[in-house]
Amino acid sequence: MRLRERSNAKTMRDRLVWQAASLLLAYPDPRLGARLDTVEELLGHAGGAPAGLLDRTVAALRARTPMDAAADYVATFDMRRNCTMYLTYWTAGDTRNRGREMLAFAAAYRAAGAQPPRGEAPDHLPVVLEFAATVDPRSGRRLLAEHRVPIDVLRGALADAESPYEHTVAAVCATLPAGTDLDLRRAERLAREGPPAEAVGLQPFTLTVPPRRREGAAHVQ
């Protein structure tokens, strides 16, 4: 019973971390202040080292104006190819295989009784985190663990850029099983060489937290 209780407690803490991380990694639209309030409330229940990491991102965003936070987000995640939050980019690149891998995310959402997003890709890290936190923690943890290498590559790129978002991704990594030596070598290779390349068109999905801003696009309500 004690082992089960500890397992349940860890799952709950991880879900709080995933939900907070999902909110922090969303585009900083005018509702950013309210989302930061929500994150701080979540962290009050989470505790532990991951909560401390997330709080560092909260503090950094609190210290910026909304305009500066939005500009930094775009410069970090839209302008830096190695900081992409689309997980299948690192496993399949812009190849035909990527479409199949994205469908695997969508299938996991449907199997849990949730519809895949329509305004954002299903492999976008904030989408996966929200799914793991609010819909199916077991399936969500599996998706995150299976993409531990891309998440590690993202964390390293954000660290190199001295981005406050690095702390949030590090908090997510802390909820996952430790990477193996093979994982480390794969992450180093991806960071150095990048993913496979083969240009194909991909259809978008949607999300309940704000996606990246696109010129002329309306915000998700």
Side-chain angles (χ1 to χ4, degrees):
M1 177 62 74
R2 290 182 179 177
L3 180 61
R4 178 179 298 179
E5 289 175 352
R6 287 197 296 269
S7 177
N8 290 341
K10 180 185 185 322
T11 297
M12 181 54 66
R13 286 194 301 270
D14 289 348
R15 293 178 71 173
L16 291 169
V17 169
W18 295 335
Q19 181 66 81
S22 176
L23 294 171
L24 290 175
L25 293 174
Y27 177 80
D29 68 2
R31 293 171 292 181
L32 174 62
R35 288 206 304 277
L36 293 179
D37 291 342
T38 300
V39 169
E40 288 181 330
E41 183 177 353
L42 292 170
L43 298 185
H45 297 285
L53 289 167
L54 293 165
D55 192 55
R56 295 178 67 178
T57 303
V58 172
L61 292 176
R62 290 279 194 203
R64 298 178 181 178
T65 66
M67 184 175 296
D68 287 342
D72 177 67
Y73 187 94
V74 171
T76 299
F77 295 113
D78 291 0
M79 306 304 292
R80 295 175 181 267
R81 200 168 177 83
N82 62 345
C83 288
T84 181
M85 288 194 283
Y86 294 100
L87 300 179
T88 63
Y89 170 79
W90 291 108
T91 56
D94 289 328
T95 70
R96 292 178 179 86
N97 288 336
R98 186 176 176 198
R100 184 176 65 242
E101 293 188 13
M102 290 171 70
L103 287 175
F105 280 85
Y109 300 158
R110 290 192 180 96
Q115 286 301 311
R118 290 179 296 178
E120 187 56 271
D123 65 328
H124 196 231
L125 182 56
V127 178
V128 185
L129 290 167
E130 182 180 302
F131 170 75
T134 64
V135 179
D136 188 334
R138 179 176 296 180
S139 180
R141 186 188 300 277
R142 176 181 57 79
L143 290 172
L144 291 168
E146 288 176 352
H147 294 80
R148 171 64 190 256
V149 170
I151 295 172
D152 275 334
V153 174
L154 171 61
R155 186 204 57 74
L158 292 172
D160 290 343
E162 299 183 343
S163 169
Y165 291 107
E166 186 266 336
H167 308 304
T168 293
V169 178
V172 173
C173 290
T175 67
L176 304 177
T180 64
D181 289 342
L182 178 59
D183 290 337
L184 179 60
R185 290 195 295 272
R186 286 180 59 205
E188 291 173 344
R189 179 182 60 78
L190 281 173
R192 181 176 63 253
E193 301 176 6
E198 174 190 327
V200 295
L202 296 172
Q203 295 298 317
F205 293 75
T206 195
L207 172 63
T208 60
V209 295
R212 298 180 309 156
R213 169 175 286 183
R214 295 178 176 84
E215 192 65 29
H219 288 300
V220 175
Q221 297 299 321

